[in-house]
Amino acid sequence: MMKIIADSSANITALAGVSYQSVPMTIRAGERDFVDDETLDPHELLDYLASYSGKSGTACPSLDCWLRAFEGADEIFVLTITSRLSGTCASAMAARDVYLQSHPDTKIHVFDTLSTGPEMQLLAERIAALYAMGLSFDVICEKAREYLATTHLFFRLKSLHNLAQNGRVSKLTAGAVGILGIQILSTASSEGTIQPVEKCRGEKKTREAMVQHILDTGYRGGKVRIHHAENPDAAGALAASLRERFPEADIEILPCAGLCSYYAERGGVIVGFETI
Ligand code: X90
């Protein structure tokens, strides 16, 4: 059996036509641990965080979580959030090594996506499509890696507080935000780090800047996946702007699960797209 497994920052819990499993991260705030699985309500998480002024943080999946997810499959594709911002990839690689000792015939490939959310969704969908074509495990891995080099991620956040509090962006970068009405537009760099690209004021200008960066990066009507932290209006308006230029584009909108809701914060929008 083949299986695609991704950490919960991919924001998907199922994938058409294949066996898919999400492995949960954890969000910690004071006494409370929020496990980022299907039972987590991101709305409740965001409300709780808004009312909680202490320190909060996150934790990557344990080695055991991965081992349990591997069970029963013999061709396994693992997708993780960028290794530059999380221990998730290292934990998956360690689990792979342990698992292969007792299951030497199992094939496991770990993709460090150097990204998160919608770009992980695109890669998972691509792997499912390559598998449906009947290609071998190694060829799927090779083509999936090539595909990953043609997808990109942009995101707009109203606050970088949680990213800065947890050392995922510098305090200097974060300090520039937090001013009312200012949004920071950033991208996932080719090294898998957060790279701020522009400060925007106002909804329309932020959307226009995002569309411009997407076009400048080489978007020509391919797939787009938009994930948002309780901001369906901004996600919908972005999709509409892209459809004005590319009416046939395959665009899907999904709400963020817990991990991305925590870091993107309420109102954040993350977009992944193809340049092929
Ligand atoms: O290991 C852990 O505790 C998880 C740490 C995750 C840190 C970053 C999460 C970012 C989520 C925010 C915008 C997209 C960032 C792009 C990355 C290159 C969403």
Side-chain angles (χ1 to χ4, degrees), residues 25 58-60 81-82 85-88 114-116 153 155 157 163 168 188 192-194 259-260 263-264 270:
M25 319 263 215
T58 57
C60 66
I81 188 169
T82 172
L85 300 181
S86 171
T88 302
L114 301 176
S115 186
T116 189
L153 190 87
F155 49 100
L157 307 182
L163 282 169
R168 263 76 187 195
T193 56
I194 293 173
L259 193 279
C260 283
Y263 282 107
I270 315 171

Side-chain angles (χ1 to χ4, degrees), residues 77 127 130-131 135-145:
F77 303 90
I127 292 169
L130 291 166
Y131 184 79
L135 301 172
S136 72
F137 185 83
D138 291 344
V139 172
I140 295 173
C141 291
E142 189 190 320
K143 291 196 180 294
R145 268 196 303 273

Side-chain angles (χ1 to χ4, degrees), residues 7 9 11 25-27 57-61 81-82 84-89 113-119 153-157 160 162-163 166-169 186-189 191-195 256 259-265 269-271:
D7 65 68
S9 77
N11 300 318
M25 319 263 215
T26 305
I27 298 102
T58 57
C60 66
I81 188 169
T82 172
R84 296 293 297 271
L85 300 181
S86 171
T88 302
C89 186
T113 66
L114 301 176
S115 186
T116 189
E119 198 176 352
L153 190 87
F154 278 88
F155 49 100
R156 43 175 279 192
L157 307 182
L160 300 186
N162 288 341
L163 282 169
N166 288 284
R168 263 76 187 195
V169 296
S186 312
T187 190
S189 72
E191 290 84 44
T193 56
I194 293 173
Q195 187 183 318
C256 287
L259 193 279
C260 283
S261 293
Y262 172 74
Y263 282 107
E265 304 189 38
V269 177
I270 315 171
V271 54

